């Protein structure tokens, strides 16, 4: 027996043919892997001495899915269905031996084996939905036959990776075997199958678990209803559900045809293109061109945080969650007590929902200690300042930190838009200063904008990027400019939303258009949620804006039962006649001429200036690449992932169209719409952002 091709081996261990895949890093189903499997199964079946076949993988995992880099390209080598047919149709029992992860196409291959064994640390799943797809190699038809309809619905629409122990209970795995003993145990299992004369169990022929759902369409309707909010706007979850309906209602082969048709629809659609782009964009954001992978990192074993408010407390939780001790600094004892109590309450709420154990609540709270003395930060490796957004306060804090913190400690600010170079200038170690802009609530939001100042060292950047990953954040490196990347682009949308109201669009019209586009909520609903009085001071209010007037009327958002909207006891919003009258009075007072504003104009006025601002940010080098801007907007501002991000969306609608609209708005409404020179250049050259 021999090497079949560079990634596939076939050896004989007594009476068992062992097919071994070794295609680093994750044994993805590339053309070479598929061809190797097809040839190996053909040969193993022809081998007279072999009574059974074991499929196993070298490296850290079983087959972890399709090779996404091949998507959309020309097909070479054996197709995945041909490989599956060779496995399922084998005249000798086939045992799949699973470690690491069996995901997507990897699990679809394992489901064609007659039996599956796994080590306890293995995980199995069909996560295609996260790429805007469905399992296109029989997974939608085989999985419900093994685990039942309800479990298949939950697994496929969430993409969850199921631990091996649970997979065994579901029937997805036939036997759990000892860690480190996978090969020996799989061989023993294969021999046992032969000795006991067990059948060649084909999942495609098993219909018992489907029978329970036959003639019960309410199973699917109830599932759709229960998940309507989560699935809103996404095509892939609905298409996954339809495939499982087909598994219940049609013969296996016809179910496969439905799966194939719906798979191709998703594969050629813009949603999956956007979601696959997002998948790669997030990985790309980790790569900093001038910071090498082997740049030394600073060990961070203890962290200090200044400010125990919502933001500081949330940031502290991120570090405690991964076992890093935190010192929380406040100026007054009551503020410190309040901050620590809020942290405990947050953890207890998570525990009450089953997210963590009561023991973990105590462990994490014990890692966070409070202090009123800045001197307590003398031994921390990283300090993050999270106080009020005022330059004078921040400079004062950094002057003190410079004197207190040990040499080599990283001094970070959580500012959402102030000049970090100005902050760094008050220290004798500007190379140690960086921006770590967490998003609120910091213990929930995934995005971390890492802001590189003029003198920030490469070690500090590399450490911050790696640390972000450790605490479960999606990090994007950006440059210093007002609002950095996220808030700078947000400013464009907020300005236009406010202007559109003065032109005759109602807040709920604008919110509806942006909600229908895919945002979790529009700007006015968001203001009501946050509180209209953030930054508003009663004594200084002159009724100069709609917000001023609403706050003066004590309409301060959801917390007062009224803001832009009126709210019932359950905080359900409805358009407010009071707000409408305030707006109309304002329009009269300013002498504006209201008009009917179309949904199309609302969308273009809110979104196209964001794309244009992104182009300016790229021109100025404040973001490394267009996809980094999109990662910021997906993870920090609720941009719908199935629309890729502002830059991807610009390419999708066509930059000539975006430029033409910006020119039209510029002529009508002035320099705030002046097209970015980069946008003009790309259109002139027939290029798009992806060409950058």
């Amino acid at each position: 027996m021999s090497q079949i091709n560079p990634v596939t081996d076939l050896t004989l261990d007594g009476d068992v043919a062992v097919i071994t895949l070794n295609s680093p890093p994750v044994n993805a189903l590339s053309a070479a892997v598929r061809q190797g499997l097809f040839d190996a199964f053909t040969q193993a079946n022809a081998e007279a001495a072999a009574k059974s076949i074991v499929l196993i993988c070298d490296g850290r995992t079983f087959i972890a899915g399709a090779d996404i880099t091949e998507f959309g390209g020309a097909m070479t080598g054996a197709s995945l269905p041909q490989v599956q047919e060779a496995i399922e149709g084998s005249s000798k029992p086939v045992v799949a031996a699973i470690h690491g992860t069996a995901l997507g196409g990897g699990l679809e291959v394992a489901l064609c084996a007659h039996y599956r064994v796994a080590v306890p640390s293995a995980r199995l799943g069909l996560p295609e939905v996260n790429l805007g797809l469905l399992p296109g190699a029989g997974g939608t038809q085989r999985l419900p036959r093994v685990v039942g309809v309800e479990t298949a619905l939950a697994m496929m629409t969430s993409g969850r990776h199921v631990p091996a122990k649970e997979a065994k209970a579901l029937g997805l795995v036939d036997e759990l075997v000892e860690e480190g003993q996978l090969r020996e145990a799989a061989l023993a299992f294969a021999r046992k199958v032969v000795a006991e004369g067990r059948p060649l169990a084909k999942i495609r022929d098993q219909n018992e678990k489907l029978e329970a759902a036959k003639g019960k369409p309410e199973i699917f309707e109830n599932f759709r209803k229960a998940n309507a909010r989560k699935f809103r706007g996404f095509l892939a979850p609905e298409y996954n559900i339809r495939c499982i309906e087909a598994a219940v209602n049609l013969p296996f082969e016809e179910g496969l045809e439905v799966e194939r048709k719906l798979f191709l629809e998703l594969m050629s659609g813009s949603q999956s293109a956007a979601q696959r782009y997002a998948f790669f964009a997030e990985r790309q954001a980790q790569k900093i061109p001038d910071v090498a992978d082997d740049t030394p990192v600073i060990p961070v074993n203890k962290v200090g945080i200044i400010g125990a408010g919502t933001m500081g407390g949330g940031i502290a939780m991120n570090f405690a969650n991964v076992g890093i001790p935190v010192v929380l600094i406040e100026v007054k004892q009551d503020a410190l007590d309040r901050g620590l109590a809020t942290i405990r309450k947050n953890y207890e709420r998570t525990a009450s929902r089953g997210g963590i154990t009561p023991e973990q609540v105590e462990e994490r709270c014990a890692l966070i200690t409070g202090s009123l003395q800045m001197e307590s930060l003398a031994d921390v490796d990283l300090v993050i300042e999270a106080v009020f957004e005022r330059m004078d306060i921040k400079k004062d804090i950094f002057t003190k930190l410079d004197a207190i913190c040990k040499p080599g400690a990283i001094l970070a600010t959580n500012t959402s838009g102030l000049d970090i170079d100005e902050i760094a200038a008050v220290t004798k170690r500007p190379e140690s200063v960086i921006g770590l802009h967490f998003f609120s609530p910091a213990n929930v939001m995934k995005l971390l904008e890492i802001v590189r100042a003029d003198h920030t060292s490469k070690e500090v950047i590399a450490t911050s990027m790696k640390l972000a990953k450790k605490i479960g954040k999606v990090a994007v490196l950006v440059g210093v400019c007002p609002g950095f990347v996220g808030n700078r682009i947000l400013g464009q949308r907020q300005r236009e939303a406010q202007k559109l109201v003065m032109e005759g669009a109602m807040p709920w019209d604008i919110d509806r258009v942006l909600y229908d586009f895919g945002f979790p909520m529009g700007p006015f609903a968001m203001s009501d949620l946050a509180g209209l009085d953030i930054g508003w001071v009663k004594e200084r209010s002159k009724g100069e804006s709609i917000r001023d007037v609403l706050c003066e009327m004590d309409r301060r958002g959801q917390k007062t039962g009224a803001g832009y909207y009126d709210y019932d006891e359950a905080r359900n919003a409805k358009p407010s006649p009071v707000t409408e009258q305030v707006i109309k009075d304002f329009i009269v007072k300013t002498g504006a001429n209201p008009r009917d504003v179309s949904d199309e104009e609302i969308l273009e006025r809110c979104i196209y200036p964001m794309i244009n601002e992104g182009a300016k940010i790229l021109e100025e080098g404040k973001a490394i690449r267009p996809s980094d801007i999109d990662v910021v907007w997906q993870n920090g501002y609720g941009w719908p992932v199935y629309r890729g991000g502002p830059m991807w969306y610009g390419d999708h609608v066509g930059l000539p169209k975006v430029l033409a609209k910006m020119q039209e708005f510029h002529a009508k409404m002035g320099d705030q719409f002046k097209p970015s020179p980069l946008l003009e250049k790309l259109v002139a050259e027939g290029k798009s952002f992806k060409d950058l």
Side-chain angles (χ1 to χ4, degrees):
M1 293 263 177
S2 59
Q3 190 173 32
I4 300 290
N5 71 3
V7 297
T8 318
D9 273 337
L10 175 60
T11 53
L12 201 58
D13 190 308
D15 56 355
V16 183
V18 182
I19 296 171
T20 309
L21 273 185
N22 187 9
S23 179
V26 293
N27 295 310
L29 287 161
S30 63
V33 167
R34 294 193 307 271
Q35 191 61 51
L37 283 173
F38 183 77
D39 293 343
F41 274 98
T42 307
Q43 281 188 35
N45 268 292
E47 176 55 51
K51 292 183 180 163
S52 60
I53 305 169
V54 165
L55 169 61
I56 195 165
C57 295
D58 276 347
R60 58 177 200 221
T61 184
F62 189 73
I63 301 165
D67 185 348
I68 308 178
T69 57
E70 288 187 4
F71 280 15
M75 182 77 182
T76 57
S79 70
L80 188 50
Q82 284 174 311
V83 172
Q84 291 173 297
E85 221 166 281
I87 298 172
E88 202 167 46
S90 165
S91 57
K92 300 166 182 184
V94 177
V95 177
I98 300 168
H99 76 297
T101 55
L103 300 175
L107 181 55
E108 288 176 299
V109 165
L111 288 172
C112 290
H114 305 121
Y115 299 95
R116 284 154 296 286
V117 299
V119 291
S121 60
R123 299 173 90 81
L124 299 84
L126 294 173
E128 285 85 348
V129 71
N130 298 322
L131 295 176
L133 293 169
L134 54 84
T140 69
Q141 303 306 295
R142 289 188 179 92
L143 188 71
R145 284 174 159 83
V146 181
V147 301
V149 168
E150 277 102 335
T151 303
L153 283 167
M155 276 179 69
M156 280 165 46
T157 58
S158 68
R160 189 167 78 88
H161 300 183
V162 176
K165 197 173 162 192
E166 186 185 336
K168 166 85 166 68
L170 291 170
L172 195 50
V173 166
D174 297 288
E175 195 164 284
L176 288 182
V177 302
E178 232 179 290
E179 296 286 348
Q181 304 292 312
L182 181 60
R183 186 187 164 98
E184 299 80 351
L187 289 165
F189 185 86
R191 291 187 175 110
K192 185 167 81 171
V193 166
V194 173
E196 293 174 1
R198 290 199 201 178
L200 299 174
K202 292 184 185 177
I203 288 170
R204 61 182 294 153
D205 300 334
Q206 298 168 13
N207 294 315
E208 308 87 271
K209 290 193 176 172
L210 298 183
E211 292 302 327
K214 275 211 161 69
K216 291 188 185 162
E218 65 275 9
I219 291 175
F220 296 98
E221 287 323 304
N222 294 340
F223 185 77
R224 284 184 173 102
K225 245 181 243 146
N227 292 284
R229 255 185 84 180
K230 198 163 83 192
F231 299 162
R232 180 178 72 89
F234 286 93
L235 286 176
E238 171 56 28
Y239 279 32
N240 274 276
I241 295 168
R242 285 185 204 170
C243 286
I244 299 174
E245 282 177 320
V248 171
N249 298 317
L250 299 171
F252 183 80
E253 287 299 339
E254 287 177 38
L256 279 185
E257 282 170 32
V258 170
E259 177 190 272
R260 190 83 203 125
K261 177 180 171 288
L262 294 179
F263 175 82
L264 291 171
E265 256 182 62
L266 288 175
M267 186 71 200
S268 59
S270 67
Q271 285 206 0
S272 177
Q275 287 177 257
R276 297 195 309 268
Y277 162 84
F279 175 85
F280 287 116
E282 208 168 286
R283 278 147 188 76
Q284 191 70 25
Q286 302 306 304
K287 299 180 170 72
I288 315 300
D290 68 327
V291 179
D293 288 345
D294 58 0
T295 302
V297 294
I298 299 156
V300 176
N301 300 313
K302 188 177 182 185
V303 173
I305 292 164
I306 303 173
T310 309
M311 189 50 101
I315 295 171
M317 290 172 73
N318 288 299
F319 293 99
N321 292 348
V322 295
I324 298 174
V326 179
V327 186
L328 203 52
I329 305 288
E330 256 301 347
V331 283
K332 294 204 175 82
Q333 189 66 47
D334 61 339
L336 185 58
D337 293 343
R338 207 166 40 243
L340 292 168
T342 302
I343 290 170
R344 175 170 283 279
K345 213 180 296 160
N346 285 340
Y347 278 137
E348 284 170 350
R349 192 182 304 124
T350 305
S352 73
R353 296 185 189 136
I356 55 175
T357 63
E359 294 74 40
Q360 284 173 306
V361 173
E362 296 311 319
E363 281 165 21
R364 292 175 189 194
C365 287
L367 283 167
I368 303 172
T369 53
S371 172
L372 302 178
Q373 310 299 323
M374 288 267 272
E375 287 68 25
S376 309
L377 301 174
D379 64 341
V380 301
D381 304 298
L382 160 70
V383 61
I384 302 169
E385 162 278 307
V387 303
F388 198 63
E389 279 289 88
R390 263 181 47 194
M391 183 56 90
D392 56 340
I393 299 175
K394 293 190 190 279
K395 281 166 128 173
D396 179 52
I397 286 172
F398 272 77
T399 305
K400 289 175 179 157
L401 289 176
D402 195 31
I404 292 167
C405 291
K406 67 184 183 187
I410 299 171
L411 311 183
T413 172
N414 178 55
T415 178
S416 58
L418 294 178
D419 185 343
I420 297 174
D421 288 310
E422 197 179 323
I423 295 170
V426 302
T427 74
K428 295 186 185 70
R429 43 170 127 180
E431 71 285 351
S432 297
V433 178
I434 196 164
L436 295 179
H437 177 210
F438 288 81
F439 283 66
S440 190
N443 50 313
V444 177
M445 294 293 281
K446 298 271 295 186
L447 180 67
L448 179 59
E449 256 185 334
I450 297 182
V451 193
R452 169 188 211 155
D454 281 346
H455 301 287
T456 309
S457 76
K458 289 176 183 181
E459 289 78 8
V460 167
I461 292 167
T463 304
S464 300
M465 294 297 289
K466 287 207 166 69
L467 193 58
K469 198 169 184 184
K470 184 173 182 177
I471 62 172
K473 298 296 178 199
V474 175
V476 179
L477 188 72
V478 301
V480 175
C481 57
F484 311 136
V485 166
N487 284 338
R488 178 171 162 181
I489 291 175
L490 179 66
Q492 297 291 314
R493 191 186 84 179
Q494 302 304 78
R495 183 195 70 228
E496 288 314 301
Q498 298 292 344
K499 276 166 57 181
L500 282 161
V501 167
M502 295 303 290
E503 291 170 35
M506 283 294 138
W508 30 93
D509 295 327
I510 296 164
D511 281 354
R512 174 180 47 76
V513 168
L514 290 167
Y515 180 79
D516 289 348
F517 181 77
F519 282 103
M521 55 175 61
F524 298 98
M526 188 75 211
S527 294
D528 273 2
L529 178 66
L532 296 192
D533 53 350
I534 289 180
W536 177 80
V537 183
K538 191 174 187 174
E539 295 68 41
R540 292 209 296 265
S541 183
K542 297 193 181 82
E544 283 171 0
S545 69
I546 291 163
R547 182 186 83 150
D548 278 357
V549 175
L550 293 173
C551 285
E552 284 162 15
M553 297 167 78
D554 209 36
R555 296 178 65 91
R556 300 185 186 187
Q558 286 191 17
K559 59 187 173 189
T560 57
Y564 285 105
Y565 294 84
D566 292 333
Y567 294 90
D568 63 17
E569 307 73 58
R571 292 201 172 190
N572 294 311
K574 58 177 195 290
S576 168
V578 177
T579 302
E580 190 163 346
Q581 196 51 55
V582 167
I583 291 168
K584 284 177 175 167
D585 293 346
F586 231 91
I587 289 173
V588 170
K589 196 170 93 179
T590 55
N593 295 313
R595 59 189 172 86
D596 284 337
V597 182
S598 71
D599 288 0
E600 188 184 16
E601 184 183 344
I602 290 171
L603 191 65
E604 290 171 347
R605 283 272 297 278
C606 288
I607 302 289
Y608 289 5
M610 296 168 68
I611 298 167
N612 191 51
E613 196 65 28
K616 291 179 184 173
I617 286 168
L618 289 168
E619 243 169 83
E620 295 164 23
K622 301 302 181 187
I624 296 171
R625 46 185 89 82
S627 58
D628 285 4
I629 296 176
D630 290 338
V631 172
V632 166
W633 265 81
Q634 286 159 13
N635 291 284
Y637 298 86
W639 184 284
V641 66
Y642 57 81
R643 294 197 197 273
M647 312 318 281
W648 187 90
Y649 184 71
D651 281 353
H652 177 65
V653 297
L655 295 191
K657 185 181 176 186
V658 176
L659 176 61
K661 273 290 166 193
M662 291 304 292
Q663 288 166 334
E664 180 192 316
F665 295 151
H666 185 207
K668 266 198 249 172
M669 290 174 275
D671 277 350
Q672 284 172 322
F673 292 95
K674 192 171 175 13
S676 138
L678 176 62
L679 180 59
E680 292 175 325
K681 180 173 181 280
L682 288 172
V683 172
E685 292 172 0
K687 290 182 175 168
S688 51
F689 290 124
K690 71 171 183 293
D691 297 316
L692 300 173

